[in-house]
């Protein structure tokens, strides 16, 4: 209810300032598939979650934040490997998904970094993760936790 209300407010604001004729993408335009996370060793190291996010709407949508009750802080990171083969990661900032496009969060690239874990991520369990978008919509998914050496969902 709350997010629908927010979208309506945004739509009316845009209408008021005479902005674009195209409709705002709502959460129904965002499809999150294949979410998974790796089990963590305790809580001293951050966890990571992976998924694919598709924008089936007709306007670009930007991911502006993440939230999950299992971590005090979460954000999208990007791992980069330099010419010497050394990997490092940093905040990826806001990620815009163009209409019809897909953004993949996968090992070695973009990932949802879950920092200051509140409890260990145990294989076989799952946790909720909320994706927040610039149009005020949110998508909540449930992320299954796979084994500590998992490379992706089995199917
Ligand atoms: Cu990271």
């Amino acid at each position: 209810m709350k997010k629908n209300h927010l979208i309506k407010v945004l739509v009316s604001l845009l209408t008021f300032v005479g902005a674009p004729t195209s409709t705002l993408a709502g959460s129904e335009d965002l499809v999150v598939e294949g979410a998974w996370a790796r089990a963590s060793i305790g809580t001293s190291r951050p966890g990571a979650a992976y998924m694919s996010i598709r924008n089936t709407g007709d306007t670009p949508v930007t991911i502006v934040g993440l939230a999950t009750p299992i971590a005090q802080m979460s954000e999208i990171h990007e791992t980069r490997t330099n010419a010497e083969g050394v990997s490092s990661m940093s905040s990826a900032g806001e990620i815009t998904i163009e209409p019809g496009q897909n953004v993949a969060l996968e090992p070695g690239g973009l990932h949802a970094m879950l920092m200051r874990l509140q409890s260990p991520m145990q294989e076989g369990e799952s946790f909720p993760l909320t994706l927040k978008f610039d149009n005020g919509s949110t998508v909540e998914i449930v992320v299954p936790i796979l084994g500590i050496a998992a490379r992706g969902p089995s199917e």
Side-chain angles (χ1 to χ4, degrees):
M1 288 303 109
K2 201 175 161 194
K3 69 187 177 196
N4 286 338
H5 179 67
L6 190 53
I7 290 167
K8 276 183 197 136
V9 171
L10 283 170
V11 169
S12 51
L13 281 174
L14 285 175
T15 309
F16 182 71
V17 295
T21 50
S22 63
T23 52
L24 274 175
S27 56
E28 67 275 11
D29 294 323
L30 296 154
V31 181
V32 181
E33 294 166 313
W36 65 284
R38 222 175 246 145
S40 71
I41 306 169
T43 57
S44 57
R45 310 254 317 150
Y50 309 98
M51 69 206 72
S52 161
I53 308 161
R54 191 150 41 96
N55 179 2
T56 62
D58 58 8
T59 51
V61 179
T62 300
I63 307 170
V64 295
L66 302 174
T68 175
I70 69 160
Q72 275 185 22
M73 214 180 122
S74 49
E75 61 180 8
I76 294 185
H77 273 188
E78 183 167 24
T79 299
R80 285 200 187 83
T81 305
N82 69 14
E84 284 76 45
V86 178
S87 294
S88 61
M89 64 181 173
S90 56
S91 170
E94 297 185 345
I95 297 191
T96 298
I97 313 172
E98 298 297 326
Q101 295 298 300
N102 185 77
V103 164
L105 276 58
E106 54 195 6
L110 294 170
H111 53 277
M113 180 105 295
L114 312 174
M115 291 162 284
R116 295 191 222 135
L117 291 178
Q118 300 298 289
S119 58
M121 294 164 66
Q122 306 216 14
E123 182 175 359
E125 295 184 352
S126 60
F127 61 91
L129 179 70
T130 302
L131 304 162
K132 301 175 185 175
F133 298 93
D134 62 331
N135 59 17
S137 68
T138 58
V139 173
E140 184 168 308
I141 59 168
V142 173
V143 183
I145 301 170
L146 308 183
I148 209 148
R151 301 182 67 85
S154 46
E155 71 269 357

